[in-house]
Amino acid sequence: MFNFSRRGVVGVLLLSSPAFAQSTFVNWETPPIHPVELTPDGSKLLVANTADERIEVFNLTTGWPVRIGSIPTGINPVSVRARTNTEAWVVNHLSDSISIVDLTTFHVVATLKPGDEPADIVFAGNPQRAFVTVSQLNQVKVYDPANLSAAPITLNIQGEDPRALATDGTRVYAAIFESGNKTTILGATVVSSTINPYPNHPNPPPNSGTVFNPPLTPGLPTPPAVGLIVERMPDGTWRDDNNHNWSAAVTWNLHDDDVAIINASTLAVTYATGLMNLNMSLAVQPGTGKVTVIGTEATNLTRFEPNVSGRFTRVNMAGFDPVNPVNPSIVDLNPHLNYSGPTVPQAQRDLSIGDPRGIVWDATGAKGYVTGMGSNNLITIDATGQRLGQLALGQGPTGLALDVPRSRLYVLNRFDGSVSVIDTTSDSELSRVSFFDPTPQVIRDGRPFFYDTHRTSGLGQTACASCHIDGKMDNLAWDLGNPAGTMKTFNQSCNGGLPPPFGGACNDWHPMKGPMTTQTLVGILGTEPFHWRGDRENLAAFDPAFMTLLGDDVQLTTDEMTKFTSFIGTIKFPPNPNRTISDGLPTSIPGFPGNPQNGSTLFNNNFIDGGALRCVQCHTLPTGSLNTIISGNLLNESQGFKVPQLRNIYEKTGFSSTSQVNNRGFGFIHDGSVPTIFDFLHAPVFVFQSDTQRRDIEAFLMCFATNTHPAVGVQVTVDGSNNNNQAVIDLLNNMQTVANSGAVSIVAKSWSAGLQRGYAYIGSGNFQSDHQGEVITMTALRQSATSGNEITFTVVPAGTQMRLGIDRDLDGFLDFDEILAFSDPSDPASTPANAVAGDMNGDGHVDLADYQRVAGCITGAGAGPVVSPCIALDFDADADVDLGDIAQWTNDFAP
């Protein structure tokens, strides 16, 4: 063993690779799903540190959470579940992987690959099986933990984006995040036709009897013909917000599945329906056995901004009997709001809960706890969902775990990088334990203006993030026009960049614009002007919406809007799952009959608009957008529209005008009225030689590059049994080839002699280790892996490899060298230059707090974890980490 009391200061690593000059942090704004977990014996608390790609481990045996280490997993860990006291499974959303962790050694011992963007995991059934939601594939994968080499069973889920899971042991419940709310869209042509049930078939139809509410501004020109949102009512008819029946126009249907109910033995799947639009989390209520779901319900059937201002979402809890899931109970978790107006006094706003992300029940089911990520609070509820009280917490509370024996509740404050410790007897916060969070200040500064419901809305329950979920979209359309508004003078480029004979005038913007689907905010900076019509010059032009739409008393200040804009600019798209690891195009993709490679050629080279225009001339690369407005006469539309970006187009599928079991009620173009890209390419403006060409372009668009390399997140664990497996070698070679191009990099994590080690790729097949002057080849690193010394390789964004691989806090001192010098690799203020032997918490001196830190690391007889920052190493050199090390530490270091 090392002689820790004699270590000196180490040098600073200087790397010359250009990749290190790139951004050291990439923000996908990925939300945690189940980020907090207790081991079955209650000895450890596990917390997903999504921002730092790790799991934080806390020892609870002293009665308080004492952080005993961090376990590197994959990119964006969002859920962690303890299968036993010694084994945890971690879901890595962006890595498309599951890390299986040995909680005795803190090793990642295996990596599973369930598919695109997994979200959560539970264990259920007899024999026990692992159930994993794969959100982008709309699947649940079922694994046998006793035979990981066996292929998982795939359960196809009839719903869009299954995420959070819960179980009662015999059934598994999967919350369908984007379940919809029984609304769909009728296109402008249909609304203007004789199917229109109003006398004389007006378009847009009135929304209050025979008139508009609010009344039309005198002198407004005739509004453009637009689409109309309708909802399926309990009697099966499709009606608008004026209760007119449009059933004759709707040839499709929506299933509105909210929770998939999976029999853990037979794997049969049934559904609970009619709950809410976004199902964010769920739990089984002890005593009753009911499944309780929290989330939000959108009021998008209601038209016009003044009528929905401050009131366009409800925060609800739904409950249902899993044996007979009909007639669910639905409770508004903000009973103090009557929604009669857009604004209430601030004291009432502060009572609201917004953007709920976690729920747990006490052992009796009589009392529940719900976190409000947007409202920065925790509410308590009774068995029926009625409010009992609330408690203000840190920023962004999400996941939570109940510690019944200690009367404690642990809550992750996502945006603070901390865990709140709640006394469940008094419902008071006892302490807040922080952990290392590398999130840059620009993100911390701007997030509140996007998420904070108390700060930015008139009722305290909604924010920008209520529709732009996690910076993305709710997959609904909204008619946020205003009959009482005024015309806005057109001030943008009209048909700019298009060759002759394309021209024509772009009209001034009418305040009654019709339904528009929610657009993603990811990647929008640089694609100005904004909105479907291009009627917002920049993000600052949305500032009035904080009052007119959110119902707040004031707009953001110039400084606040700058911070908000800077934050939005940090959010990146995830990789497109349909592209190859080398960022190429396949010849086919599941669910689409076309050839993406042929489609790329057609998109870039073929003239498809009367022989005069190519797709790429409007949908310019790399965004697929064009900073101009295309006039309505060129589009055969009643108003002009900006060319939208295409980078998230693959996420908008799931609607068909002929299906009776649609996942979504909205598809493509501005109002969502075109079900598929194939349908869109049949518009008269396009000229193709065949449907084969249309299918090929559709397939290419499903592979449209997102500017995040498809290799990012790819992982493989080498464990001694697969070191020479050809598939593993081929994958590592592919990873290395892409890294050599500079598009990405690679990190590796392992254990050696009981110590956590890290490696960052520096090119030419070489890795720099976390120890100054130590370089090793990829081949040698792979061949060194053994059972108990597993090595996990991960592709990371270029520029992040130093932080993720070898210098966690970017203080210039490598992680292993910091461990050797008694400084903390996760604290930039603690370095070998100011380290003190025996100083376990990096405060510069040795005291009782250090004793408590060491004691918290000791797990008892048998080898314990040897991890930073505790550095609970074998001080007495008996090859065991145990109580003897406390005695040795006391003898050597205690004052």
Side-chain angles (χ1 to χ4, degrees):
M1 298 296 291
F2 296 101
N3 183 357
F4 297 99
S5 62
R6 296 180 181 174
R7 291 189 186 121
V9 177
V10 297
V12 178
L13 173 72
L14 297 176
L15 293 176
S16 59
S17 171
F20 283 89
Q22 301 181 44
S23 174
T24 62
F25 186 93
V26 178
N27 179 28
W28 290 284
E29 205 59 17
T30 304
I33 306 299
H34 183 86
V36 185
E37 173 85 340
L38 286 171
T39 54
D41 63 3
S43 66
K44 293 185 181 71
L45 178 70
L46 313 176
V47 178
N49 187 346
T50 305
D52 202 29
E53 332 299 358
R54 295 169 180 257
I55 295 299
E56 305 293 340
V57 184
F58 297 83
N59 191 321
L60 298 176
T61 56
T62 62
W64 295 93
V66 177
R67 189 160 61 96
I68 60 174
S70 302
I71 306 172
T73 53
I75 304 298
N76 282 186
V78 294
S79 295
V80 55
R81 302 275 187 171
R83 189 172 78 88
T84 67
N85 293 322
T86 59
E87 181 181 292
W89 291 36
V90 181
V91 178
N92 305 303
H93 192 67
L94 207 84
S95 276
D96 301 339
S97 68
I98 296 171
S99 299
I100 299 180
V101 176
D102 185 327
L103 294 175
T104 300
T105 63
F106 284 26
H107 295 198
V108 172
V109 297
T111 299
L112 306 179
K113 302 174 182 179
D116 190 37
E117 297 189 2
D120 200 1
I121 185 168
V122 294
F123 304 98
N126 187 15
Q128 185 188 71
R129 291 192 271 197
F131 295 77
V132 180
T133 46
V134 188
S135 62
Q136 281 297 314
L137 299 181
N138 299 332
Q139 293 176 345
V140 170
K141 293 288 180 70
V142 185
Y143 290 87
D144 179 0
N147 184 12
L148 296 179
S149 63
I153 298 170
T154 298
L155 305 180
N156 292 313
I157 301 301
Q158 186 174 274
E160 198 65 42
D161 205 356
R163 293 192 188 180
L165 289 167
T167 182
D168 56 15
T170 61
R171 287 177 290 262
V172 170
Y173 308 102
I176 297 168
F177 189 73
E178 298 172 359
S179 71
N181 62 350
K182 300 184 291 294
T183 61
T184 191
I185 185 73
L186 302 177
T189 301
V190 172
V191 177
S192 299
S193 73
T194 56
I195 292 178
N196 187 319
Y198 290 81
N200 301 318
H201 318 305
N203 186 4
N207 67 322
S208 180
T210 60
V211 298
F212 287 108
N213 175 33
L216 281 166
T217 298
L220 274 181
T222 302
V226 296
L228 183 68
I229 298 170
V230 294
E231 179 179 342
R232 189 185 69 219
M233 299 300 166
D235 63 0
T237 60
W238 293 91
R239 296 180 180 271
D240 63 18
D241 60 343
N242 203 6
N243 200 36
H244 278 63
N245 189 344
W246 291 82
S247 299
V250 184
T251 60
W252 57 93
N253 210 337
L254 311 175
H255 53 63
D256 194 33
D257 294 337
D258 289 284
V259 176
I261 305 169
I262 304 168
N263 185 302
S265 297
T266 66
L267 303 185
V269 183
T270 56
Y271 296 92
T273 64
L275 305 184
M276 63 196 78
N277 175 44
L278 294 170
N279 298 285
M280 295 177 168
S281 188
L282 73 171
V284 179
Q285 186 179 29
T288 67
K290 284 187 175 180
V291 179
T292 54
V293 187
I294 56 167
T296 59
E297 175 74 350
T299 61
N300 63 313
L301 181 67
T302 302
R303 281 185 286 164
F304 306 136
E305 184 178 63
N307 298 328
V308 298
S309 176
R311 294 157 286 178
F312 53 86
T313 55
R314 305 287 189 269
V315 179
N316 290 344
M317 184 187 83
F320 64 86
D321 178 353
V323 177
N324 187 27
V326 297
N327 300 319
S329 62
I330 299 178
V331 178
D332 190 326
L333 293 177
N334 289 311
H336 60 288
L337 301 177
N338 62 21
Y339 307 102
S340 60
T343 302
V344 295
Q346 187 65 49
Q348 288 183 264
R349 302 180 203 182
D350 291 343
L351 297 176
S352 297
I353 183 171
D355 207 345
R357 297 293 178 122
I359 179 173
V360 69
W361 292 97
D362 69 7
T364 67
K367 184 178 181 182
Y369 300 86
V370 181
T371 52
M373 188 178 77
S375 47
N376 301 325
N377 61 358
L378 172 77
I379 67 168
T380 53
I381 55 176
D382 68 14
T384 66
Q386 299 302 310
R387 290 277 289 266
L388 298 174
Q390 72 159 344
L391 179 65
L393 297 178
Q395 290 194 57
T398 53
L400 64 182
L402 191 64
D403 187 349
V404 174
R406 299 182 182 92
S407 299
R408 297 286 187 265
L409 178 70
Y410 308 104
V411 182
L412 170 65
N413 299 303
R414 171 191 173 193
F415 302 147
D416 281 350
S418 67
V419 175
S420 289
V421 182
I422 310 298
D423 184 333
T424 56
T425 302
S426 61
D427 287 336
S428 59
E429 185 178 24
L430 300 176
S431 67
R432 196 172 296 175
V433 181
S434 297
F435 52 83
F436 179 68
D437 181 346
T439 301
Q441 196 62 41
V442 64
I443 297 174
R444 298 177 188 271
D445 288 344
R447 268 177 173 160
F449 308 113
F450 180 68
Y451 288 103
D452 195 328
T453 61
H454 289 177
R455 187 173 187 171
T456 63
S457 71
L459 299 183
Q461 95 296 0
T462 194
C464 297
S466 298
C467 293
H468 298 283
I469 309 298
D470 303 308
K472 302 175 181 68
M473 53 192 180
D474 59 4
N475 289 290
L476 297 176
W478 299 79
D479 189 337
L480 299 179
N482 184 4
T486 58
M487 298 292 292
K488 180 178 180 179
T489 302
F490 186 85
N491 62 357
Q492 297 295 324
S493 167
C494 182
N495 303 319
L498 299 186
F502 296 101
C506 292
N507 299 324
D508 291 343
W509 288 295
H510 198 285
M512 295 177 66
K513 54 189 174 183
M516 304 281 177
T517 57
T518 303
Q519 292 182 295
T520 183
L521 299 184
V522 182
I524 65 169
L525 298 190
T527 68
E528 296 84 350
F530 296 142
H531 256 193
W532 281 103
R533 299 191 303 173
D535 54 2
R536 296 292 185 270
E537 296 83 356
N538 47 40
L539 272 183
F542 288 95
D543 203 357
F546 282 92
M547 296 179 67
T548 60
L549 180 57
L550 295 181
D552 202 5
D553 307 311
V554 295
Q555 298 178 190
L556 299 187
T557 65
T558 300
D559 178 64
E560 289 171 338
M561 180 54 73
T562 298
K563 291 178 179 177
F564 174 81
T565 302
S566 297
F567 160 67
I568 294 298
T570 69
I571 311 175
K572 306 301 181 186
F573 284 108
N576 186 313
N578 296 320
R579 298 180 72 87
T580 69
I581 190 174
S582 61
D583 202 16
L585 294 170
T587 57
S588 65
I589 55 174
F592 294 88
N595 184 322
Q597 293 182 3
N598 293 342
S600 175
T601 300
L602 292 167
F603 183 90
N604 288 289
N605 300 317
N606 280 36
F607 292 91
I608 49 84
D609 196 337
L613 200 64
R614 292 170 290 133
C615 297
V616 74
Q617 289 179 266
C618 288
H619 295 281
T620 58
L621 303 177
T623 64
S625 181
L626 186 66
N627 301 70
T628 191
I629 315 302
I630 308 299
S631 57
N633 63 298
L634 292 185
L635 294 172
N636 294 320
E637 293 278 359
S638 62
Q639 50 191 330
F641 293 101
K642 179 183 178 291
V643 182
Q645 65 171 330
L646 301 177
R647 287 178 288 183
N648 70 329
I649 200 167
Y650 71 96
E651 294 192 89
K652 302 186 74 172
T653 61
F655 176 42
S656 168
S657 59
T658 60
S659 174
Q660 299 302 301
V661 287
N662 278 296
N663 286 354
R664 305 189 195 276
F666 303 88
F668 296 92
I669 75 167
H670 64 282
D671 60 4
S673 61
V674 177
T676 68
I677 293 296
F678 180 70
D679 294 326
F680 173 69
L681 295 175
H682 277 89
V685 70
F686 302 123
V687 178
F688 288 96
Q689 295 179 3
S690 66
D691 276 352
T692 298
Q693 290 187 332
R694 293 183 176 91
R695 291 295 190 190
D696 288 345
I697 288 184
E698 178 185 47
F700 165 67
L701 292 179
M702 293 301 110
C703 301
F704 202 89
T706 67
N707 289 359
T708 293
H709 198 283
V712 168
V714 171
Q715 291 191 293
V716 62
T717 296
V718 186
D719 60 9
S721 69
N722 61 351
N723 302 44
N724 297 311
N725 180 284
Q726 193 59 49
V728 170
I729 294 173
D730 290 344
L731 177 57
L732 289 172
N733 287 339
N734 286 335
M735 293 163 66
Q736 181 174 311
T737 298
V738 178
N740 286 338
S741 74
V744 299
S745 192
I746 310 170
V747 300
K749 290 293 182 178
S750 70
W751 286 77
S752 180
L755 295 169
Q756 193 176 96
R757 300 301 307 272
Y759 305 85
Y761 190 68
I762 57 175
S764 302
N766 294 315
F767 284 81
Q768 165 66 53
S769 84
D770 53 5
H771 181 44
Q772 180 75 3
E774 183 179 68
V775 175
I776 186 171
T777 68
M778 174 178 276
T779 300
L781 197 56
R782 168 177 58 83
Q783 292 176 340
S784 70
T786 63
S787 178
N789 182 29
E790 298 85 2
I791 300 176
T792 298
F793 296 85
T794 305
V795 179
V796 299
T800 67
Q801 65 268 35
M802 190 171 186
R803 177 178 65 82
L804 295 177
I806 59 178
D807 185 6
R808 185 181 181 190
D809 56 11
L810 291 177
D811 62 357
F813 296 93
L814 302 188
D815 293 342
F816 188 64
D817 293 338
E818 289 213 55
I819 292 174
L820 300 184
F822 281 111
S823 60
D824 187 346
S826 65
D827 182 359
S830 171
T831 72
N834 58 24
V836 176
D839 176 17
M840 299 293 104
N841 59 6
D843 64 0
H845 57 272
V846 180
D847 55 18
L848 179 62
D850 300 302
Y851 173 86
Q852 292 172 330
R853 177 63 65 90
V854 174
C857 293
I858 303 303
T859 58
V866 182
V867 292
S868 169
C870 284
I871 321 175
L873 301 175
D874 184 16
F875 290 109
D876 60 3
D878 66 350
D880 190 17
V881 180
D882 54 20
L883 297 179
D885 298 299
I886 293 182
Q888 188 67 43
W889 179 89
T890 303
N891 181 65
D892 290 347
F893 304 119

